[in-house]
Amino acid sequence: MLHLRVLCPAEQTQDVLARLADQPGVTHLVLLRGAAVRPAGDVVEADVAREAADEVLDRLCQLDLDHTGGITLEQVDTAVSDHAERAERAAPGDGADAVVWEELLARTGDEARYTATFQAFLVIACLLAAVGVVTDSPVTIVGAMVVGPEFGPLAAIAVGLVLRRWRLVRSAALALAVGFPVAMLATAGATVLAEWTGLQDRAALVNGHQVDFVYQVGPYSLIVALLAGAAGMLAMTSAKSAALVGVFISVTTVPAAGYAVVAALLGEWGRAGQSFAQLVVNLVGIVAAGVVALLLRRRAEGRANRRASPGTARTGRAPVRLP
């Protein structure tokens, strides 16, 4: 279940209540007259089944409440209520498969911006990858995969392309276009320092073989990127967000960037070129798979809505009257 809170002008409250009461999957409807201070108005609260949330938001936005008032959604961890169970049964579809598009836009929008925190995580991840390359340590490479924050902007690009939110695409592309070069420059500086102090040399790169998968680009590189992108987007559009950790460990974006820097500075230009190709293949593959996964979800959702529309257009509930 999701908890919905609507701030609306008093003159629109009747319409808000009517639209919520007419929706399957909505329960625990509450009116707090005059409770909103800024913007001034009434507050309407309800619990909404996840699979009904997208349609509920659409109907509320038709009232222009996203401009005249405010709409917020938050996750309900536990709902002990027969009314909540009936609402979930009444809503078409399954909550785990439902996509709340506004929630997805909000999540990806937060992760698409270039921030100091994003850059810091990317620098640390690339440095970890460089250490993993020099020490021939797959465990450290996996650590770099987990720390890397790049999946957020990649997912944002996919969402922006599907929903035609070009500002989101530009913001995410800027984060990647600035973030990776800065992180690679920082890694280059650390590599030069390590070579100057004798902590690494060319032999350490050439003789290590446990992390060769980072730069060995091939058909399976694209296959893994496609599978990881599809899995990541499914995790972000459903209630299975724990699967994202597995996605992070599957892709070799940050490790490839770190390997390319180390290899280039040690004169291994062939390996540096392959590592850069690995980076590009993973970036493109993840975005492409994310776009396809979202398009398939939208198509499936459209078919489900068409099948459910005859039974959900009217719920037979009595109209809500203001006290």
Side-chain angles (χ1 to χ4, degrees):
M1 298 291 291
L2 299 171
H3 183 69
L4 171 72
R5 183 178 64 190
V6 181
L7 276 64
C8 60
E11 62 270 18
Q12 290 184 292
T13 303
Q14 180 65 61
D15 288 338
V16 172
L17 290 172
R19 294 193 178 211
L20 290 177
D22 195 47
Q23 284 292 308
V26 176
T27 189
H28 301 160
L29 193 56
V30 176
L31 169 62
L32 303 173
R33 185 183 291 278
V37 176
R38 190 171 58 187
D42 298 334
V43 175
V44 179
E45 296 186 348
D47 288 337
V48 183
R50 182 179 178 86
E51 54 269 39
D54 207 51
E55 184 177 356
V56 169
L57 289 175
D58 284 343
R59 297 199 67 183
L60 292 175
C61 287
Q62 289 171 8
L63 297 174
D64 205 33
L65 289 174
D66 49 333
H67 300 296
T68 62
I71 305 170
T72 59
L73 271 179
E74 58 185 5
Q75 183 70 39
V76 176
D77 293 328
T78 305
V80 183
S81 167
D82 290 341
H83 294 283
E85 292 181 4
R86 285 195 290 269
E88 288 184 318
R89 289 196 298 268
D94 190 284
D97 295 333
V99 182
V100 184
W101 293 99
E102 290 295 334
E103 178 189 49
L104 181 62
L105 277 171
R107 290 181 63 186
T108 54
D110 288 341
E111 298 186 12
R113 293 192 295 271
Y114 178 78
T115 63
T117 301
F118 171 84
Q119 186 64 75
F121 271 115
L122 196 55
V123 168
I124 292 171
C126 280
L127 291 174
L128 280 172
V131 172
V133 169
V134 172
T135 60
D136 195 28
S137 171
V139 174
T140 308
I141 293 294
V142 171
M145 293 176 175
V146 175
V147 172
E150 75 281 4
F151 185 78
L154 292 173
I157 291 175
V159 172
L161 290 174
V162 171
L163 300 182
R164 298 181 181 180
R165 302 296 181 95
W166 308 122
R167 181 179 298 178
L168 181 62
V169 174
R170 289 194 297 270
S171 176
L174 176 65
L176 295 172
V178 175
F180 268 104
V182 171
M184 293 172 76
L185 283 173
T187 304
T191 302
V192 170
L193 180 62
E195 189 176 9
W196 180 69
T197 57
L199 290 177
Q200 71 178 35
D201 55 25
R202 184 175 178 275
L205 181 70
V206 175
N207 296 332
H209 299 291
Q210 294 191 73
V211 297
D212 285 354
F213 67 92
V214 174
Y215 78 90
Q216 290 176 343
V217 62
Y220 281 107
S221 300
L222 179 60
I223 292 172
V224 170
L226 292 173
L227 292 174
M233 194 53 64
L234 286 175
M236 293 195 73
T237 56
S238 68
K240 309 294 183 182
S241 58
L244 282 174
V245 176
V247 172
F248 298 155
I249 299 175
S250 300
V251 295
T252 53
T253 48
V254 166
Y259 200 114
V261 171
V262 175
L265 290 175
L266 295 180
E268 290 291 328
W269 295 105
R271 294 192 181 197
Q274 290 183 71
S275 297
F276 186 77
Q278 179 85 280
L279 172 63
V280 173
V281 165
N282 276 268
L283 293 176
V284 173
I286 290 171
V287 172
V291 168
V292 172
L294 284 175
L295 290 174
L296 291 175
R297 293 297 295 269
R298 292 194 79 181
R299 184 176 179 182
E301 190 178 69
R303 288 199 302 266
N305 288 338
R306 285 193 296 271
R307 288 196 300 267
S309 57
T312 59
R314 304 293 294 178
T315 63
R317 302 184 189 183
V320 175
R321 297 297 180 190
L322 288 173

